[in-house]
Amino acid sequence: MDGHETGAVVGPEAPLITIGVPGSFAWKVFHERHPAMIEQLCAAFPYGADVRGRLAELLRETTGGVVEPLGDDAPDHGVWAAWAADRLGRPWSDCSFLWAESYFFRRLLAAVGYFEPGSWRGIDPFAPMKEAELRSAGTAEALAALDALPRLSEADRDDTVVRAAVWGNQADLAFRMSAGAEGTAAGLVTGDSQVFWSLFGEPGPVHLVADNSAGELAADLVLTDHLLATGRADHVVLHVKPAPYYVSDATPADVVGVLRHLVGLAGEAGAVGRRIWDGLRDGRIEVRAHPFFCAPLDYRAMPADLRAELASASVTIMKGDLNYRRLVGDRYWPATTPFADVVGHFPSPVVALRVLKSEVVVGLDDATAAALDGTGDAWRTSGSHALVQAAVPGGAAVAR
């Protein structure tokens, strides 16, 4: 095992999920999802033969070759060179899923010249997909539904904003490129909004680690607004990715784009947008983009400055599938492994809001795990099930 992918947890470590098992979910990401994504990129931008050639070579390398070094001199080149040093020359098929997928996206940015002087410098290759999702009929319908929020009881508003934040995680453009990704909501496999709110007491700083842009980010901003309006938080820090990542992951530019979209709308969506805008102006809301959020490592390997920052949170909210994989460890855990056991390393009370779109899951009771396995469905990866899980460092998971 790689030292920077391990850490102290209660009980033995489970095996890492790797990309080398033919037909596995992780294998399909590299052999089916990534080719579809690159085809869309080449259709969305008039990339020249040089960029198209580098993207084609990246696909060949990652599906049947060995790990090659970065081909740019970007500011993060040194840290990525260190993370890749012990893998260079080794088959991609030997790599862990978390590391391989992260390195793939960093190599993709190098291939399109994102960091290099030239026409494509600083151009988000996934921007057209994010913009289409933000302006889609589905997102418009979800935002229009916010008009009902002020008429709901306090308890119903609490429940609604949490459910919106959970199921907003279905707005994952990379996931939709997988064959058979249905995305139909079937229900929560564990937890609910009461589990979420159980972590909140006296007002304090809340940190929200975002996942996807567009509709999901809009739902996260609604949750941020609700945390401040109800006094659950006196300050909210929204953590996003410092560069384009995993197709639809939110960056600072995406926060601005989604916020401008909200401000331009009528009704409650526009009111939320204006309150978030004012919160950013007066410092009650901050947007940060630590480089570690694009690292190929789990959260046990957080650098000291980020760990100290999250330790100051009264609650940290982890959104989405990738953050979940990094929080619990991207391993073949038995589904009944206690959530608190694998997140005991985290420096603050933490709650995960996630739609299941990869194989790792923990914290289920025996009966639920057995019932789900008995269906014969790919419930871990279909995007039709979700969860809410919470724990306090050094304590037990919060259950209802």
Side-chain angles (χ1 to χ4, degrees), residues 11 37 87 89-90 92 97 166 174 224 232 235 287 313 320 368:
M37 178 193 64
R87 293 173 175 80
R90 290 169 51 185
W92 275 83
F97 185 28
V166 172
T224 296
R232 266 68 170 254
H235 183 80
V287 178
T368 299

Side-chain angles (χ1 to χ4, degrees), residues 271-290:
V272 168
R274 289 185 289 275
R275 289 193 293 266
I276 296 293
W277 188 283
D278 290 342
L280 285 164
R281 286 173 63 92
D282 64 27
R284 288 177 298 126
I285 304 171
E286 292 183 71
V287 178
R288 299 180 189 168
H290 195 286

Side-chain angles (χ1 to χ4, degrees), residues 128-184:
M129 302 179 206
K130 296 176 185 177
E131 184 69 13
E133 171 66 22
L134 179 61
R135 299 186 180 280
S136 68
T139 299
E141 182 179 355
L143 293 176
L146 294 176
D147 287 345
L149 272 181
R151 300 192 296 271
L152 299 178
S153 68
E154 181 179 330
D156 285 344
R157 282 198 302 274
D158 280 353
D159 181 61
T160 298
V161 296
V162 172
R163 285 191 290 107
V166 172
W167 290 108
N169 186 234
Q170 285 190 323
D172 182 334
L173 299 174
F175 172 74
R176 292 181 184 182
M177 293 174 188
S178 294
E182 297 291 339
T184 301

